[in-house]
Amino acid sequence: MNSWHGLIDSDYRRWLPVTDRTPTVSLHEGNTPLLRSAHLSGLTACDVRLKIEGANPTGSFKDRGMTVALSRAAEDGAELVICASTGNTSASAAAYAARAGLSAAVLVPRGGVALGKLGQAIRYGARIVEVDGTFDACLRIARELAAHHPVALVNSVGNELRLAGQRTVAYEIVDALGEAPDIHCLPVGNGGNVTATWQGYRTYHSAGRARRLPRMWGFQAAGAAPLVHGEPVSRPETLASAIRVGNPATWEGAITAREESGGLVAAVTDEQILAAYRLLGRRDGVFVEPASAAGVAGLLDHHERGLVAPGQSIVITLTGNGLKDQDAALRDSEPPTRTGAAASEVARTLSLTP
């Protein structure tokens, strides 16, 4: 029998900002696979593990923070939650709001959200508002609405509840490996995930549960790399829609993670992201959305430049499931081969010999 009941009702509860009065709003998030990649391990001469966050209930790492945020919103008597999103946050907020019996409104940039994510938010019953602007404009509006109206903002910006939930990924990794890795790679968009993951490692290290701390390696898409350039990007462009952010709300936290860990934030091209996206499916059998492959792309780029010493323990966060952006998968593939309904025709197509 599966005894896992989500993060709040697990041993990680002690690390979360909840009390005995807090109702548990959960879809049994967390406890995601940590899969060894034989291909990446062999290529880099390191022990490379993939933290598959697409296995969370709504298909992304966002569920870790949302269980805490919505549990507390329910405790506080909120009736409406609101968020700005490039897709994954909207799907998660809508699902957990539905679970809590609350209404949800999500602000998304027009034409900037993968249909799978938009479909999720719609099916969970959220009110969808398409804004003629970027994600950054959506977030500005959401923050303004929360400041002047009785709604609960559930974006990770300044939201200790969301960040506390997202820290649990580091706890799970240390508990699974018995120690923190040498390097933790992950995509960076709005900056909340790299901030929370680093804080999680710091928390476990301070509590004596990890003897060392990893170097945090964050990777942005080259067309949306404000942290790399040191200034906002007014018109971020990348096929990796989940990290198409020009002015990260958790900018300071992401830079702190880089500086304190002795890590880095670098850019990878869309071509490198797509190559890693294909590799994960074909070599490891893991289907991710394009943005999720940015951490793999960054590791491969640094390995090719001789910047990855052999023998290290490396964890890569794969942030979201590939089913969220099926259009990307179909655009990046050859069309199916058509044959008649005869075994001989299929055999010829597959070059099978008698």
Side-chain angles (χ1 to χ4, degrees), residues 70-204:
L70 264 294
S71 293
R72 286 288 299 273
E75 181 182 7
D76 294 342
E79 295 182 0
L80 174 68
V81 298
I82 192 169
C83 70
S85 180
T86 55
N88 282 327
T89 297
S90 66
S92 186
Y96 281 80
R99 187 75 170 167
L102 306 179
S103 297
V106 300
L107 311 185
V108 299
R110 185 186 298 275
V113 177
L115 291 180
K117 303 172 189 180
L118 198 60
Q120 282 183 286
I122 291 171
R123 190 51 50 219
Y124 297 137
R127 178 75 180 271
I128 312 298
V129 181
E130 285 193 316
V131 175
D132 288 326
T134 63
F135 165 79
D136 304 293
C138 294
L139 182 57
R140 173 181 54 78
I141 294 168
R143 295 174 78 171
E144 187 174 332
L145 292 174
H148 296 97
H149 300 275
V151 297
L153 179 66
V154 293
N155 280 98
S156 59
V157 52
N159 191 328
E160 169 60 22
L161 305 178
R162 284 278 309 279
L163 295 177
Q166 288 174 207
R167 289 178 197 135
T168 59
V169 73
Y171 310 157
E172 289 182 12
I173 290 165
V174 174
D175 286 343
L177 296 179
E179 184 54 275
D182 295 300
I183 298 171
H184 189 124
C185 301
L186 72 172
V188 176
N190 211 30
N193 203 25
V194 65
T195 298
T197 303
W198 171 242
Q199 291 173 345
Y201 283 122
R202 287 286 304 268
T203 297
Y204 248 35

Side-chain angles (χ1 to χ4, degrees), residues 22 26 37 65 99 117 137 146 155 165-166 186 203 222 230 249 268 270 285 302 342 349:
T22 307
S26 175
S37 170
R99 187 75 170 167
K117 303 172 189 180
N155 280 98
Q166 288 174 207
L186 72 172
T203 297
V268 287
D270 280 5
H302 279 65
T349 297

Side-chain angles (χ1 to χ4, degrees), residues 51 67 71 79 92 139 218 233 235 260 274 297 303-304 327-328:
K51 187 60 169 168
T67 183
S71 293
E79 295 182 0
S92 186
L139 182 57
V233 175
R235 294 182 180 275
E260 289 185 350
L274 279 177
H303 167 69
E304 289 168 4
D327 288 346

Side-chain angles (χ1 to χ4, degrees), residues 176-262:
L177 296 179
E179 184 54 275
D182 295 300
I183 298 171
H184 189 124
C185 301
L186 72 172
V188 176
N190 211 30
N193 203 25
V194 65
T195 298
T197 303
W198 171 242
Q199 291 173 345
Y201 283 122
R202 287 286 304 268
T203 297
Y204 248 35
H205 183 261
S206 297
R209 289 176 171 251
R211 294 184 300 277
R212 66 186 183 201
L213 291 166
R215 297 189 301 280
M216 301 300 295
W217 284 15
F219 297 97
Q220 298 192 289
L227 296 176
V228 177
H229 301 308
E231 60 184 11
V233 175
S234 60
R235 294 182 180 275
E237 292 293 338
T238 173
L239 59 80
S241 61
I243 55 174
R244 191 187 294 141
V245 178
N247 189 13
T250 319
W251 186 304
E252 184 177 339
I255 295 302
T256 297
R258 181 190 69 185
E259 296 302 312
E260 289 185 350
S261 74

